[in-house]
């Protein structure tokens, strides 16, 4: 990956809806070589996809919570069922298997304490194998990136 590829990635990370002509102009290439480079980056898996960013507050989910989850058991079957169930909960934005006292950290979008309680009682506590949770509400987001951007 050379400097021009990195310019392309920075530009697309900033504005994923750039046309090929706009992107080529921004990175200093003609459209055809720019398109070839973007396709190569996509095929190599460096560019995994393109997405629309939705506003949580506009969707009625203005608050972000981080939920640490401790499991009752750690056998493969229980973990697999939990991980599959998490995929079906739309409020869950991210779920990471982690080291430490807790087994998973979940990032979720909720509508205040009422929305959080609904997520906890109606969804998370019903997932297979959940033993204990601990939650922190985010007060303010200081930085948000969807992926690392090459320097």
């Amino acid at each position: 990956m050379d400097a021009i590829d990195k310019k392309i990635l920075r530009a697309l990370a900033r504005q994923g809806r750039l046309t090929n002509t706009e992107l080529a102009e921004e990175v200093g290439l003609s459209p055809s070589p720019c398109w070839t480079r973007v396709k190569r980056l996509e095929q190599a898996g460096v560019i995994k996809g393109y997405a629309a960013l939705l506003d949580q507050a506009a969707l009625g989910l203005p608050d972000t919570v981080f939920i640490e989850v401790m499991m009752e058991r750690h056998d493969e079957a229980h973990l697999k069922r939990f991980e599959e169930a998490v995929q079906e909960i739309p409020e869950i934005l991210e779920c990471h298997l982690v080291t430490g006292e807790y087994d998973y950290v979940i990032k979720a979008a909720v509508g205040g304490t009422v929305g959080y309680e609904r997520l906890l009682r109606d969804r998370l506590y019903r997932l297979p194998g959940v033993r204990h949770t601990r939650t922190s509400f985010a007060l303010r987001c200081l930085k948000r990136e969807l992926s690392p951007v090459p320097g």
Side-chain angles (χ1 to χ4, degrees):
M1 186 176 335
D2 64 13
I4 293 175
D5 287 342
K6 290 177 182 178
K7 278 184 176 181
I8 289 170
L9 295 173
R10 284 192 301 271
L12 288 174
R14 202 172 40 255
Q15 172 57 276
R17 291 189 64 173
L18 288 172
T19 67
N20 184 60
T21 303
E22 292 168 335
L23 179 60
E25 185 176 309
E26 186 168 329
V27 301
L29 289 175
S30 60
S32 182
C34 183
W35 183 85
T36 300
R37 283 175 176 264
V38 169
K39 289 299 165 198
R40 184 177 39 78
L41 290 165
E42 289 172 349
Q43 290 169 351
V46 176
I47 297 173
K48 293 183 71 84
Y50 302 88
L53 299 178
L54 308 180
D55 185 293
Q56 281 181 225
L59 296 171
L61 303 168
D63 301 300
T64 300
V65 292
F66 296 93
I67 306 165
E68 295 172 296
V69 178
M70 183 183 293
M71 301 300 289
E72 288 177 352
R73 301 180 60 181
H74 296 93
D75 61 90
E76 191 62 33
H78 277 87
L79 297 178
K80 184 174 172 39
R81 282 200 309 273
F82 174 82
E83 291 172 7
E84 288 172 350
V86 162
Q87 301 297 322
E88 302 304 317
I89 301 174
E91 298 92 341
I92 294 178
L93 305 174
E94 297 179 21
C95 181
H96 299 267
L97 178 64
V98 296
T99 62
E101 184 179 349
Y102 287 82
D103 301 302
Y104 297 94
V105 174
I106 292 172
K107 176 183 173 184
V110 297
T113 56
V114 171
Y116 167 66
E117 181 182 10
R118 192 174 318 117
L119 173 64
L120 200 61
R121 287 162 122 355
D122 297 345
R123 305 275 196 148
L124 289 180
Y125 285 165
R126 294 178 187 212
L127 294 182
V130 172
R131 177 176 168 209
H132 178 71
T133 65
R134 180 170 65 186
T135 302
S136 298
F137 269 76
L139 299 177
R140 180 169 40 118
C141 179
L142 303 178
K143 181 179 179 180
R144 178 176 289 132
E145 298 291 339
L146 295 179
S147 60
V149 180

